[in-house]
Amino acid sequence: MPTLEITHLYIYPIKSLGALALKEAHVEIQGLAGDRRYMLVDEHGKFITQRTRPDLTRFQLSVHPDGFLVVDKKTGQNKCLRASIKLGELMSVEIWDDLVEARIVLDAWSEWFSQLLNEKVFLVHLTAASPRFMKEKYHTSLSKESSFADALPILLCSEASFKALDNQMGESVDRLRFRPNIIVSGAEAFEEDSWKQIQIGDVQLFGAKPCARCQLITVHPQQGTINKDVLGALSQIRKMGNKVYFGQQFVPQMLGKLAVGDRISVQVQQDAVY
């Protein structure tokens, strides 16, 4: 039986902006540390993503000694999002069906993004005082909270699943279209949908549900261009009912550290539930 191991780890510090590739990551109750704890919202507090603003791909992130460096590829401007950033007043924000009280990030971050996007926006931060709760059926004994991810804290995809899509497309598809946190090798295509519980070192994750996909995967993660063929090709091989699936969503059950090269043990399998 092939060895299952982590080949890539990613976080997205600001929802729907650039990815950060990591060699190792700590698992917290809301997912990987630093993943989607920040989010842009409009003046009414509604979340903003590449679904309506594909030009958000202009903002790429890199690690900085004090936190993260956000670079606007269009203008060349950059700004450091410090780990010790000061937070301001609470703002009611909306992300899908959830209403959360998040704190506005100070140091002129909202003004910076507003000027570049030509739209009044606010950069907000998820705080422990006002968590975002998952639906009860996805709770574990450890975690009841998520980040500003669309639904659940961690998304895992296999190399074989990506390869199956590549074959359907007739070309390689950028993995970051799917915004995975963990990519693994050694699995069969879409096998991850059946993983109900996995162990990676000290970390234990509960496989809550496969991830239904939308038009976000049609957005090129660096260029912001649209290619509807990606969703069309995926629909040909992964449509179940009226939804299209790719990747498995996980919720932490035991915390610890993950690293590229770590081996994965599938402790509990079940028939995938779509």
Side-chain angles (χ1 to χ4, degrees), residues 1-7 158 183-188 191-192 195 198-200 261-267 269:
M1 182 176 179
T3 300
L4 301 172
E5 69 175 47
I6 296 174
T7 57
S158 71
I183 299 180
V184 305
S185 65
E188 296 181 4
E191 178 189 341
E192 61 268 30
W195 296 350
I198 61 175
Q199 188 86 26
I200 312 168
D262 280 355
R263 294 191 174 188
I264 300 163
S265 170
V266 179
Q267 296 182 316
Q269 284 189 277

Side-chain angles (χ1 to χ4, degrees), residues 34-51:
D35 186 44
R36 284 169 279 210
R37 304 303 197 267
Y38 295 91
M39 179 172 71
L40 287 170
V41 299
D42 65 18
E43 60 183 330
H44 305 294
K46 187 172 183 177
F47 74 120
I48 299 172
T49 74
Q50 293 175 20
R51 294 174 182 85

Side-chain angles (χ1 to χ4, degrees), residues 51-118:
R51 294 174 182 85
T52 56
R53 295 286 312 240
D55 58 330
L56 290 178
T57 57
R58 64 193 274 187
F59 298 106
Q60 297 296 311
L61 280 78
S62 59
V63 175
H64 185 278
D66 295 328
F68 306 112
L69 188 68
V70 183
V71 178
D72 176 23
K73 296 189 297 182
K74 184 174 181 179
T75 65
Q77 294 187 46
N78 65 79
K79 191 172 172 67
C80 180
L81 183 55
R82 302 180 188 281
S84 58
I85 192 73
K86 292 184 179 180
L87 304 176
E89 62 186 36
L90 287 169
M91 180 179 187
S92 294
V93 301
E94 175 186 347
I95 172 170
W96 297 114
D97 296 327
D98 297 330
L99 294 175
V100 180
E101 294 293 311
R103 290 205 174 273
I104 296 174
V105 180
L106 300 181
D107 193 26
W109 272 98
S110 298
E111 293 82 355
W112 190 73
F113 277 117
S114 296
Q115 180 183 24
L116 293 171
L117 292 171
N118 197 30

